[in-house]
Amino acid sequence: MGESLLIGGALLLGGIVSGLVKSHPFYKHRSQKFKDAYQAKLWQNLQAEYSENEAYWISRALTDYIYDFNKRLYEDVHIERYMSHAIKEKNNLYRQRIEPPNVLCEELVLRAIELKVPLMLFFSHMKELHGNYLVPMGKLTPGSIESMPGASTYYLELTKLPLSTKQMTHYLDMID
């Protein structure tokens, strides 16, 4: 009797812990795997300039900024503390070459679909990332995005940015 009560209690406790883990914002979205992979690569790259701990929190702040469309899905004191470092690093991210721009663009569209990001927020965020040479827009938008389920409106937002030949050439020079 005592053993079954102990086993039952352990199973109940395990179920509660499992439920709490799944409700954390990290595990709520299927596109989290893209965000985790980006953060891990960025963390490795930033360790050349920062301590391991600082690099971790800066990489988390930057990844949250990029993949959560600059809106906080959760609060974390550590990330807030390193946000000024993250802002400084944001302008140099294209040099890190964490993800190819087309791949990052596709991942962000999938994330936007999953998070149901409003089109204006999506467009302004992607335009800023384009200005930082992280994602293509306008005529450079990957055609593969159009065929993704639920991505047609986001694809239209990406393609509506008018780019001159000079701007496209400059963008392509910066990412190569």
Side-chain angles (χ1 to χ4, degrees):
M1 175 74 174
E3 291 174 349
S4 61
L5 189 58
L6 184 62
I7 292 172
L11 288 174
L12 180 64
L13 184 60
I16 291 171
V17 169
S18 174
L20 288 173
V21 166
K22 289 179 183 175
S23 68
H24 192 278
F26 274 12
Y27 306 101
K28 191 174 183 182
H29 306 289
R30 286 180 290 150
S31 58
Q32 183 66 31
K33 63 185 173 195
F34 303 131
K35 187 176 169 183
D36 290 344
Y38 189 92
Q39 190 263 327
K41 292 175 191 174
L42 182 58
W43 180 25
Q44 286 296 109
N45 288 3
L46 290 176
Q47 287 182 29
E49 190 174 335
Y50 297 97
S51 72
E52 185 177 348
N53 188 47
E54 286 178 315
Y56 175 78
W57 291 111
I58 293 168
S59 68
R60 284 275 306 273
L62 282 168
T63 305
D64 284 353
Y65 169 79
I66 292 169
Y67 279 85
D68 295 342
F69 298 90
N70 197 20
K71 66 179 198 175
R72 305 295 300 170
L73 297 182
Y74 63 95
E75 293 298 319
D76 192 322
V77 207
H78 300 291
I79 290 176
E80 303 303 328
R81 196 167 112 207
Y82 289 101
M83 194 54 82
S84 61
H85 294 289
I87 291 169
K88 183 184 107 182
E89 289 295 331
K90 179 179 73 164
N91 298 327
N92 300 318
L93 267 177
Y94 73 95
R95 291 186 184 125
Q96 302 275 348
R97 301 192 188 275
I98 305 297
E99 288 287 346
N102 286 356
V103 172
L104 182 59
C105 189
E106 291 171 0
E107 290 176 358
L108 290 175
V109 169
L110 287 171
R111 183 91 170 156
I113 293 167
E114 193 173 32
L115 295 176
K116 297 176 177 68
V117 174
L119 290 177
M120 288 300 293
L121 174 61
F122 175 79
F123 181 75
S124 62
H125 185 68
M126 295 299 274
K127 188 174 177 182
E128 183 179 349
L129 294 179
H130 176 74
N132 288 329
Y133 311 109
L134 293 175
V135 297
M137 284 186 78
K139 295 176 185 174
L140 300 172
T141 302
S144 59
I145 291 173
E146 189 175 22
S147 62
M148 292 178 185
S152 59
T153 54
Y154 293 113
Y155 179 76
L156 290 174
E157 286 295 312
L158 287 171
T159 57
K160 80 178 189 182
L161 181 69
L163 294 176
S164 68
T165 305
K166 184 179 178 181
Q167 288 171 316
M168 286 191 292
T169 304
H170 180 67
Y171 173 83
L172 293 172
D173 287 344
M174 293 302 286
I175 64 169
D176 286 333

